[in-house]
Amino acid sequence: MQDTPRGRRGRTRARLLECALDLFEQQGYEQTTVAQIAGAAGVTEMTFFRHFSAKDRLVVEDPYDPVIADAVAAQPHTLAPLARAVAGLRAAWGHLPEPESDVVRRRVRIAAGTPSLRAAIAANNAATEQILVDQLVADGADPRSARVAAAAVLAGITAALLDWSQHDGLTLTGAVSAALDTLDGAR
């Protein structure tokens, strides 16, 4: 049976990620080079860069912004900005497939323990925050209220993810739900 390009591409990407996480855990993120990752995965550096634009993308990639913005837009415009943002994130989370918790946990642990990656997380959060603010304002929210609501929601989710990454007994869904419940005033 012949390998499909899409299947091969997905396996190569997964192999790069697996090798990178192993190396990051063994010798540290900063000490690991793209050449080492590519070598461990049995590919060239050029192949690495076809799959990941930079080394930090292995750990801090965030493909969920469009889904979150659409979910916030779908919430009733009569809700307060914080309630809309929380409801939107809850709806978005409910429609996303459960990620491979072990891989996600490893990525978050590495990011949490690496100062330069914490900066990349902050940059990702700032971009997501702006998307949320733009959506809330477009739907009629006061810009200041929208900014506070978006920042609060992202701070809560980030805190929950960082905590979850350090405790193997917690589920990702449980951590996200608990954070949203707290923001909703239910906890």
Side-chain angles (χ1 to χ4, degrees), residues 11-123:
R11 281 191 296 283
T12 300
R13 184 177 175 85
R15 179 76 179 135
L16 283 164
L17 179 58
E18 178 186 334
C19 290
L21 294 176
D22 288 346
L23 288 167
F24 295 159
E25 289 170 340
Q26 291 167 10
Q27 60 192 35
Y29 173 82
E30 299 295 347
Q31 292 74 30
T32 301
T33 67
V34 169
Q36 290 172 324
I37 296 166
V43 300
T44 66
E45 286 182 64
M46 183 180 292
T47 298
F48 173 92
F49 286 113
R50 284 188 191 121
H51 292 273
F52 299 96
S53 62
K55 184 171 79 166
D56 69 346
R57 298 288 90 196
L58 288 155
V59 181
V60 296
E61 190 171 60
D62 181 5
Y64 302 120
D65 287 350
V67 175
I68 292 169
D70 290 346
V72 169
Q75 302 309 306
H77 295 197
T78 56
L79 292 176
L82 181 58
R84 284 190 74 213
V86 169
L89 273 155
R90 194 180 302 281
W93 186 258
H95 289 93
L96 294 171
E98 179 74 21
E100 295 180 46
S101 290
D102 182 53
V103 172
V104 175
R105 191 183 308 268
R106 290 174 74 195
R107 289 172 62 208
V108 174
R109 276 186 185 156
I110 291 164
T114 307
S116 64
L117 292 175
R118 295 284 298 249
I121 290 171

Side-chain angles (χ1 to χ4, degrees), residues 137-158:
V137 170
D139 296 337
D142 171 71
R144 288 186 185 103
S145 296
R147 172 84 47 214
V148 170
V153 168
L154 289 171
I157 294 295
T158 300

Side-chain angles (χ1 to χ4, degrees), residues 105 108-109 112 118 155-172 174-175 178:
R105 191 183 308 268
V108 174
R109 276 186 185 156
R118 295 284 298 249
I157 294 295
T158 300
L161 287 173
L162 293 174
D163 183 59
W164 165 80
S165 77
Q166 302 302 312
H167 298 93
D168 290 334
L170 298 176
T171 66
L172 183 54

